[in-house]
Amino acid sequence: QSALTQPASVSGSPGQSITISCTGTSSDVGAYNYVSWFQQHPGKAPRVMIYEVSNRPSGVSNRFSGSKSGNTASLTISGLQAEDEADYYCISYTSSKIVVFGGGTKVTVL
Amino acid sequence: EVQLVESGGGSVQPGGSLRLSCAASGFTFSSRTMHWVRQAPGKGLEWVSYITSSGTTIYYADSVRDRFTISRDNAKNSLYLQMNSLRVEDTAVYYCTSDRNYVWFDPWGLGTLVTVSS
């Protein structure tokens, strides 16, 4: 199972919106609405930001939103803030009943 | 407080073995599928293995199949990962995490570092 494809890096200025893509196949991202997004600050454990494509857990800012079209899922961060600077990973359940992560995207706030 | 705490990491030579443990508290451990995820130094997250709530269904990543064994003890609220025939490329921080519903991973432990080196 190949890793999902994410851009290595995305940057934006404070207050701007950015979108991170996560491209898979019809056997993973395209097959189910089971895509999650995680935020990871250096030296810290990952934290779930979005589950089931577009659902936000309690405690996660509504500046974070998720969507999916075909085999590509996306995470959008609006009103970018300095604290959003981190690594972001997508993950999907697959038709093989295993799970696969994306390679990760480093978000830089300029 | 909902919490996962990993232990058992350390340094080992190639070909050696380690057993990781993950202690759960603050949620109904016996009802959750549990996963191990690892992260090599400076690299991304890699899914390793999962075990369903009853322990009847188990899956592994190709990179660890036939070397690693996942297990759980619901009476002790604990998850385990027996790692045999360790390789240098298994060096990573190993996290345990609870699956609330198909890759809704929450919470995560703080991780335990495994270093495989001669």
Side-chain angles (χ1 to χ4, degrees):
Chain A
Q1 186 75 36
S2 299
L4 306 176
T5 300
Q6 296 182 233
S9 63
V10 173
S11 62
S13 299
Q16 288 187 328
S17 294
I18 61 170
T19 296
I20 303 168
S21 60
C22 170
T23 301
T25 69
S26 57
S27 296
D28 40 62
V29 175
Y32 309 97
N33 286 327
Y34 296 134
V35 175
S36 297
W37 289 90
F38 303 95
Q39 176 192 64
Q40 187 181 36
H41 288 107
K44 301 294 187 181
R47 173 195 179 195
V48 63
M49 306 303 283
I50 295 289
Y51 67 94
E52 293 172 6
V53 174
S54 60
N55 293 318
R56 234 181 358 260
S58 62
V60 173
S61 170
N62 60 9
R63 297 184 299 104
F64 291 83
S65 61
S67 62
K68 190 184 86 167
S69 177
N71 297 336
T72 299
S74 299
L75 174 71
T76 297
I77 309 174
S78 58
L80 200 62
Q81 298 180 2
E83 67 207 50
D84 301 331
E85 186 161 294
D87 294 324
Y88 291 83
Y89 296 90
C90 62
I91 187 175
S92 176
Y93 184 70
T94 78
S95 59
S96 302
K97 298 186 178 180
I98 62 171
V99 303
V100 62
F101 278 100
T105 298
K106 182 176 181 61
V107 168
T108 301
V109 181
L110 301 172
Chain B
E1 180 188 5
V2 176
Q3 194 173 12
L4 292 169
V5 179
E6 303 93 338
S7 60
S11 295
V12 63
Q13 292 187 334
S17 298
L18 277 177
R19 188 192 194 212
L20 305 184
S21 299
C22 171
S25 59
F27 65 96
T28 307
F29 176 79
S30 60
S31 69
R32 299 270 184 98
T33 290
M34 297 295 296
H35 296 251
W36 286 101
V37 174
R38 69 183 181 183
Q39 186 170 35
K43 302 297 184 181
L45 300 173
E46 179 189 13
W47 172 76
V48 172
S49 178
Y50 77 75
I51 182 169
T52 54
S53 58
S54 62
T56 55
T57 300
I58 288 171
Y59 283 90
Y60 298 98
D62 289 345
S63 57
V64 306
R65 187 176 295 114
D66 300 327
R67 299 188 299 122
F68 290 11
T69 301
I70 191 172
S71 61
R72 65 191 296 160
D73 185 335
N74 286 343
K76 294 183 178 180
N77 287 342
S78 293
L79 175 72
Y80 306 101
L81 187 68
Q82 177 67 44
M83 304 186 296
N84 298 331
S85 302
L86 282 162
R87 305 167 179 169
V88 171
E89 55 265 35
D90 294 320
T91 294
V93 173
Y94 285 73
Y95 297 99
C96 67
T97 182
S98 149
D99 193 340
R100 299 185 65 168
N101 187 51
Y102 291 101
V103 303
W104 179 6
F105 289 176
D106 181 61
W108 292 68
L110 295 180
T112 187
L113 177 62
V114 171
T115 303
V116 185
S117 172
S118 55

